[in-house]
Amino acid sequence: MGRGHRRGGLMARFLLRRLAGMVAILGAASFLVFGALQLAPGDPASFLLSGRSATPEAIAAIRAQYRLDDPVPVQYLHWIGGVLTGDFGRSVQFRSDVGGLIAARVPVTLTLIGMAFALTMVLGLAFGVWSAIRPGLVDKSVLVGSSVAVATPSFVLGFVLIAVFSVNLGWFPSIGAGEGLADRLHHLTLPAVALALTFAGVLARVSRTAMIDQLGQEYVTVARGRGVPERAIVRRHVLRGAMTVTLTYGGLLVPGLLVSTVLVETTFGVNGLGQLLQYSVTVKDFPVVQALTLLTVAVFVVTNLVVDLLAPLADPRVRLGART
């Protein structure tokens, strides 16, 4: 009873500390994102107009819409107040609410990231574990393959996949996101592979190193001396000990995949958040860029909190909040 009460109190204090940290990080990030508009050379209204000529009335309308005549702190409070209520402003290029633009593209990007995440975890863990328990040719082959995967940009992998599996073999479409679940999964297979391979190469190396470190621990030597089968040692103990490091990498994986969708979605013509960000940067649609940048920071912070909560479940030897 006493131990459960203490653990509950520890969990509550940990969550409060992390939530306070999340609020501080997101607050600082939101101010930096908003301040980037003020740091742009020239008049912010001209920047929002992307260099297009406009009448004095149009410029006045832009200044009124974005409250550019207010002091900067007042502008920021107005913008962040809208963000907290789901109002990210209006897109200069699309002439529509930024929140609606993002919401319309979230399902496609979430599906792509989910497929890429699953591929990354399966391939990265499988090859990392295989490399660690099979020294020699297998280990060297995995190291070479993972090095090639890490060194090859995702858009290059995309072009190779299109050339082989779309143009030559005709197995998968080369552009678009499809309609309906089955068609969407079919369309997003090649983009997901292109997005996942680089991260799978990194995860293979991370999991391999963690596995080798665990295999060198004293408890493994003792278990072998007692005649415990090697497969049981790896499955029951080594994998669990290495999982903490893998989860830490997982905290970087989701926001990393989100950022990398910019290149992959553009390469495959997928109308998701990545392509929206790339286009918005090109045409200087700053309200959209602001919203997507803040969203990326929020995803990074939230996934790190989830990792901290899951780490003690993967390995009870990890103290709650030890990574903080």
Side-chain angles (χ1 to χ4, degrees):
M1 180 70 176
R3 180 179 298 179
H5 181 73
R6 287 194 300 271
R7 184 171 180 83
L10 178 63
M11 173 69 76
R13 289 193 297 272
F14 168 71
L15 286 175
L16 286 175
R17 288 199 307 270
R18 291 312 304 265
L19 288 174
M22 285 175 57
V23 171
I25 292 173
L26 289 174
S30 67
F31 188 78
L32 291 174
V33 169
F34 178 82
L37 177 61
Q38 307 301 323
L39 296 176
D43 182 27
S46 300
F47 183 74
L48 288 168
L49 287 169
S50 305
R52 298 188 297 269
S53 59
T55 63
E57 292 77 11
I59 295 177
I62 287 289
R63 297 191 69 86
Q65 179 180 348
Y66 293 96
R67 304 171 70 98
L68 296 178
D69 293 323
D70 293 340
V72 173
V74 175
Q75 294 180 44
Y76 169 73
L77 290 176
H78 175 76
W79 175 73
I80 197 64
V83 169
L84 293 176
T85 58
D87 180 10
F88 293 92
R90 288 184 63 82
S91 165
V92 177
Q93 186 68 26
F94 293 96
R95 310 287 182 178
S96 60
D97 291 336
V98 174
L101 289 173
I102 293 176
R105 291 160 174 78
V106 164
V108 173
T109 299
L110 278 183
T111 303
L112 175 59
I113 290 177
M115 294 173 66
F117 182 86
L119 286 171
T120 299
M121 297 303 293
V122 171
L123 295 176
L125 287 175
F127 281 104
V129 172
W130 194 31
S131 178
I133 64 178
R134 291 289 186 270
L137 180 61
V138 170
D139 186 29
K140 292 179 181 178
S141 299
V142 171
L143 286 175
V144 171
S146 62
S147 298
V148 173
V150 171
T152 307
S154 56
F155 70 91
V156 174
L157 290 171
F159 288 135
V160 172
L161 292 172
I162 289 173
V164 174
F165 295 100
S166 293
V167 178
N168 291 337
L169 298 177
W171 291 355
F172 297 97
S174 61
I175 192 169
E179 298 291 339
L181 180 59
D183 190 40
R184 176 160 294 177
L185 294 177
H186 187 220
H187 274 75
L188 294 182
T189 296
L190 292 186
V193 172
L195 185 59
L197 284 180
T198 297
F199 292 94
V202 176
L203 181 57
R205 286 178 165 269
V206 169
S207 57
R208 171 188 177 273
T209 301
M211 287 285 296
I212 290 176
D213 178 68
Q214 291 297 316
L215 287 169
Q217 297 295 318
E218 183 178 356
Y219 75 88
V220 174
T221 304
V222 172
R224 287 170 174 166
R226 292 179 176 176
V228 179
E230 190 72 14
R231 181 175 298 181
I233 295 175
V234 172
R235 185 176 66 254
R236 297 176 185 174
H237 304 289
V238 177
L239 276 175
R240 194 166 190 178
M243 193 57 64
T244 302
V245 178
T246 303
L247 281 173
T248 301
Y249 175 73
L252 302 174
L253 179 58
V254 174
L257 289 171
L258 178 59
V259 172
S260 297
T261 57
V262 174
L263 294 176
V264 172
E265 288 185 357
T266 302
T267 301
F268 287 90
V270 175
N271 192 21
L273 295 179
Q275 189 182 66
L276 176 63
L277 178 59
Q278 185 273 334
Y279 178 76
S280 299
V281 170
T282 301
V283 299
K284 300 180 181 179
D285 195 344
F286 206 80
V288 178
V289 177
Q290 282 181 320
L292 290 175
T293 303
L294 191 59
L295 175 63
T296 302
V297 175
V299 169
F300 177 81
V301 173
V302 171
T303 52
N304 272 274
L305 174 62
V306 173
V307 167
D308 276 340
L309 293 174
L310 292 179
L313 300 178
D315 187 355
R317 293 171 296 179
V318 177
R319 183 170 56 87
L320 186 66
R323 292 177 64 248
T324 61

